[in-house]
Amino acid sequence: MSGLEVRKPRACILGVDGTELSNWEKGFFREADPYGFILFARNVENPEQVRALTDQLRDIVGKTNVPILVDQEGGRVMRLKPPHWRKIPAAGVFGELSDSAPEDAREAAYINARLMAADLRDAGFNTTCAPVLDLRFPGMSDVVGDRSYGADVSRVVILASAVAAGLLDGGIAPIIKHIPGHGRASVDSHKDLPIVSASRAELSELDFAPFRQMKDVLAAMSAHLLFTDIDDQRPGTVSKTVIDDVIRDDIGFKNLLISDDLSMEALGGSIASRTHACLTAGCDVALHCNGKRTEMEEVVSMTPLLSGSALKRAQTFTNQISGFKTDKPSPTQLTDWQMRLADLLAPVWRAEETGA
């Protein structure tokens, strides 16, 4: 190589404790140089504050294209909420509309994603952990529920593809989740480990299918589920068998694989051991969300700098972020989209009836 070697970020994405960075966080993030950051409702007060925070995160690591993530799906999972931001319908609303008007549902999903992207860009984000590709199975935990577009593979793919396209056209990188499929979770993986006993053949035909059809999206988030017919010892996020044989081979996903939040109770052991386990199993990047100092120190202590194929996949993702156009939709365009979306969703959803 000629010249200086390009600085490699650390293979983790970290959360932030509050609405502005503490002096400790500034020093820690500068030294650790994580691949990215993720913000939650605790980090969000108003548009000006969150924009200042995202700008500060970019400045700390000295990269304009550092991934800054947020879980902005709609429905129950919204970190940017009214009164400062739009009320966003859950994925299930688009699925319901698709029952009677599939083309309207597809158009609505795209327009909604464009509006979401405009909100996120203004707030300084470049990535959202959406769309959800998990199927909705009756009798399962509500951890997915109406976050899913439905029970039909083709419907989920059509609507999620429209969302991914809308996000990308609006300058926001999508992360599909939860690969290889979270729909059969009988308990909430934030609190316990879901155990899935369905056969591998059935899982491959149904649960894995949406991810297989959308494998070209440049990033995916793993699922903390134990698939007993595939690996009865280790949840997907920390299972080399699930990652190698299912995610990389059966599904064919070759892009950036990010763990789901390592502080969720579905995983056992210390935060340090969880970090080591997910990276050893084949996740490219370890995600830790709660912003707790001692836990973040554990994550960083067990996280190497990105290298090899993981570094290439990570660079491909950040190159996508770098390539986004910076022009903003005009106020007229945004108003037109909002009116069109309201018309399309009128048979199944009205923002004013849900507290917007």
Side-chain angles (χ1 to χ4, degrees):
M1 290 183 65
S2 60
L4 293 174
E5 186 175 355
V6 175
R7 188 176 68 175
K8 298 173 183 175
R10 196 170 298 276
C12 58
I13 293 170
L14 300 176
V16 174
D17 184 44
T19 55
E20 57 185 36
L21 296 182
S22 67
N23 286 332
W24 176 82
E25 284 173 323
K26 293 175 187 176
F28 179 72
F29 292 150
R30 191 176 288 114
E31 179 68 24
D33 192 26
Y35 176 66
F37 299 97
I38 185 165
L39 299 186
F40 280 78
R42 67 176 182 273
N43 309 121
V44 175
E45 283 182 342
N46 58 62
E48 295 75 22
Q49 169 270 326
V50 73
R51 182 66 201 224
L53 179 56
T54 52
D55 285 346
Q56 194 173 30
L57 290 169
R58 268 183 280 273
D59 290 343
I60 286 290
V61 295
K63 302 187 190 99
T64 58
N65 64 348
V66 60
I68 301 182
L69 289 60
V70 65
D71 285 307
Q72 191 78 346
E73 299 172 13
R76 289 175 290 138
V77 182
M78 283 173 49
R79 313 308 183 199
L80 278 60
K81 304 176 183 180
H84 296 295
W85 290 277
R86 262 183 342 115
K87 183 78 174 180
I88 304 171
V93 171
F94 300 94
E96 183 182 351
L97 180 60
S98 188
D99 285 337
S100 57
E103 285 305 311
D104 285 356
R106 188 179 194 168
E107 183 185 354
Y110 175 84
I111 293 172
N112 185 63
R114 286 303 305 263
L115 288 166
M116 276 178 47
D119 286 345
L120 294 172
R121 289 285 296 195
D122 281 348
F125 294 98
N126 51 34
T127 307
T128 186
C129 304
V132 171
L133 270 60
D134 306 320
L135 299 180
R136 188 169 190 174
F137 291 95
M140 293 295 106
S141 165
D142 198 40
V143 67
V144 172
D146 66 359
R147 297 169 66 191
S148 169
Y149 293 99
D152 179 73
V153 171
S154 62
R155 174 180 295 179
V156 169
V157 170
I158 287 167
L159 294 175
S161 295
V163 171
L167 291 169
L168 287 167
D169 288 349
I172 295 293
I175 299 177
I176 56 175
K177 61 186 185 185
H178 306 80
I179 199 168
H182 207 302
R184 293 182 195 265
S186 56
V187 296
D188 185 345
S189 51
H190 294 88
K191 301 172 183 175
D192 205 350
L193 175 63
I195 297 173
V196 176
S197 58
S199 71
R200 177 165 179 168
E202 184 180 4
L203 290 165
S204 184
E205 180 182 353
L206 293 173
D207 307 53
F208 305 165
F211 296 94
R212 193 178 294 120
Q213 293 186 45
M214 292 185 67
K215 65 185 180 183
D216 292 334
V217 175
L218 293 185
M221 183 179 290
S222 70
H224 295 339
L225 274 74
L226 188 74
F227 298 99
T228 59
D229 199 36
I230 300 170
D231 183 340
D232 62 3
Q233 299 297 312
R234 291 169 294 276
T237 297
V238 293
S239 168
K240 188 169 178 60
T241 302
V242 170
I243 292 174
D244 286 354
D245 295 357
V246 175
I247 295 175
R248 298 302 191 191
D249 187 16
D250 184 350
I251 290 172
F253 181 75
K254 306 299 184 185
N255 297 319
L256 186 69
L257 182 61
I258 301 167
S259 79
D260 203 347
D261 181 14
L262 294 178
S263 59
M264 290 164 62
E265 294 307 314
L267 301 179
S270 67
I271 295 296
S273 68
R274 297 175 192 186
T275 304
H276 180 260
C278 83
L279 295 171
T280 302
C283 288
D284 297 314
V285 175
L287 173 67
H288 182 269
C289 296
N290 66 26
K292 293 181 180 177
R293 175 174 177 168
T294 55
E295 292 190 12
M296 289 198 294
E297 288 173 334
E298 285 189 62
V299 171
V300 168
S301 74
M302 299 303 295
T303 307
L305 302 184
L306 280 160
S307 62
S309 56
L311 176 62
K312 291 178 183 176
R313 291 190 282 260
Q315 288 173 330
T316 299
F317 188 72
T318 51
N319 287 343
Q320 179 182 65
I321 291 170
S322 299
F324 287 140
K325 296 176 182 177
T326 55
D327 54 321
K328 295 168 60 172
S330 69
T332 302
Q333 177 67 81
L334 291 172
T335 300
D336 288 348
W337 280 335
Q338 288 169 341
M339 292 175 64
R340 178 61 177 159
L341 182 62
D343 287 345
L344 290 167
L345 292 178
V348 293
W349 189 83
R350 286 179 173 82
E352 61 270 17
E353 293 176 3
T354 53

